[in-house]
Amino acid sequence: MSSEAERQILVEHLLGVDGMCTGCRTWWALLAPYPCWQVEWATTRQARHLTAAVLGGRP
C-alpha cells in the first residue's frame, strides 16, 4: 500500500465524537433500517408522557 492510499483512508475515516469514524458511519447507515424503529418508539413514548402530563394523568 502506498503512502497516498494510506493517507486517503485516514482522510475518509476521521473519528467522530462517539468514536466511530465518519466513513464507517456512512456504510452502517446504508445497512440500518430507516426510519429507525427505536426513534419511533422513543418519540411515541415521549408524546404519550407529555399528553398525560398535560391532561393531568401520570407523569
Side-chain angles (χ1 to χ4, degrees):
M1 191 184 289
S2 70
S3 62
E4 178 62 27
E6 293 165 354
R7 189 187 66 73
Q8 186 64 26
I9 288 172
L10 292 174
V11 165
E12 292 178 12
H13 291 266
L14 298 173
L15 289 181
V17 293
D18 61 353
M20 188 175 205
C21 77
T22 53
C24 291
R25 183 188 325 276
T26 303
W27 280 105
W28 276 107
L30 295 174
L31 298 173
Y34 184 82
C36 175
W37 65 271
Q38 291 177 339
V39 171
E40 288 181 13
W41 176 83
T43 304
T44 58
R45 295 289 296 173
Q46 188 179 34
R48 288 180 190 164
H49 177 77
L50 229 109
T51 303
V54 169
L55 296 177
R58 290 186 302 152

